[in-house]
Amino acid sequence: KVEAARANAEAEARAKAERERGAAEDRARQAEIARAKAEGEVEAKAEAQRRAEAAAKENAPLLPGWEAVDSGEGDCYYWSRRTDETRWDRPTAPVISRPPPPPKAVKPARPQAKLARPQAKPARPPKSTASGAVGTGGVRAMAAAFSSGGGSLHRPPSLRSNITSNGKPVYSLEVLGRTLSAGLPADVDPTCKEEHLNDDEFTRLFGMDKASFRSLAGWMKTKLRKDNGLF
């Protein structure tokens, strides 16, 4: 009887261990299935995001000064009137994904008394004149040079140092770091502020010349602009 009881106990112990091992294997399989499903959902969302960004870029308008040119081989390339640059990829402003909404906060109680609205509007910031922009007198002088020079218009020597190699007016890094509402000059394209730096300042800031910068991918140019306060 003792031997039989011992044998029964051992059999029950082995059966229990087998059941526990089977349950552990089932849990491991379920966890693997759940992990694979989660990875698949993440990959599907990422793929959908990539397709949406590609579609948005394909349908986005061209940057100012660019136009599509038929290559004569069934496709087109893009040409910049400003810099005479050509490229195959569509030059558009970088697509910025919309961030998720912030968590809802409890609304504060409304004040009992309403604040009086100010009557006078704030003064507009003065336009910068140290950047080499040509005023009314400069325009008249250039027109006179054009009429007396046989139809060829030359910039005054004093302005040549304030114009970039691609014909854009030069501004300091401090001025280009402003927004439109904070006094960014009207002749600066907010999507490519770096084009208004002089060549030496540009190379010092980005570690490359302008031609190398233009050949970078859109997301890399956006990151470099943000890192240097030009976005």
Side-chain angles (χ1 to χ4, degrees):
K1 290 181 180 180
V2 174
E3 291 295 334
R6 184 182 300 170
N8 290 336
E10 292 176 355
E12 290 178 359
R14 286 193 298 269
K16 182 178 180 181
E18 187 67 25
R19 289 193 299 271
E20 291 177 351
R21 184 167 56 252
E25 291 176 354
D26 288 340
R27 288 193 297 270
R29 281 193 296 269
Q30 293 296 329
E32 183 66 22
I33 292 172
R35 185 183 63 81
K37 183 178 179 181
E39 291 178 354
E41 291 177 353
V42 171
E43 183 63 27
K45 289 181 180 179
E47 180 64 23
Q49 181 69 17
R50 286 192 294 268
R51 291 181 179 179
E53 291 178 357
K57 184 176 181 180
E58 186 65 24
N59 297 326
L62 293 173
L63 289 176
W66 286 85
E67 61 182 63
V69 181
D70 187 0
S71 66
E73 299 178 355
D75 52 5
C76 68
Y77 61 92
Y78 301 92
W79 170 59
S80 171
R81 287 183 175 274
R82 295 180 179 178
T83 63
D84 201 29
E85 177 188 357
T86 58
R87 56 193 294 181
W88 287 103
D89 57 316
R90 185 180 180 88
T92 59
V95 179
I96 302 176
S97 301
R98 181 178 297 177
K104 293 183 179 181
V106 179
K107 293 183 179 180
R110 293 185 178 181
Q112 298 298 325
K114 294 184 178 180
L115 297 177
R117 180 178 296 178
Q119 299 297 324
K121 294 182 179 179
R124 295 182 178 273
K127 294 184 178 179
S128 174
T129 58
S131 59
V134 181
T136 305
V139 172
R140 292 176 180 174
M142 293 173 71
F146 180 79
S147 59
S148 62
S152 60
L153 181 61
H154 300 281
R155 293 189 182 94
S158 61
L159 295 181
R160 290 182 181 175
S161 61
N162 292 330
I163 301 296
T164 64
S165 58
N166 55 5
K168 296 180 182 294
V170 172
Y171 290 99
S172 66
L173 182 62
E174 178 184 359
V175 172
L176 294 175
R178 302 173 183 170
T179 60
L180 288 173
S181 61
L184 181 69
D187 56 353
V188 174
D189 185 354
T191 62
C192 52
K193 295 180 179 178
E194 71 282 353
E195 293 291 342
H196 294 270
L197 292 169
N198 64 47
D199 294 342
D200 293 338
E201 180 70 5
F202 186 99
T203 302
R204 183 192 66 78
L205 194 63
F206 291 94
M208 66 185 77
D209 56 17
K210 293 182 178 180
S212 301
F213 181 85
R214 296 188 192 108
S215 65
L216 297 176
W219 67 268
M220 178 60 73
K221 290 189 283 190
T222 300
K223 182 179 184 301
L224 291 174
R225 291 185 185 114
K226 289 181 179 180
D227 292 343
N228 292 285
L230 294 174
F231 185 76

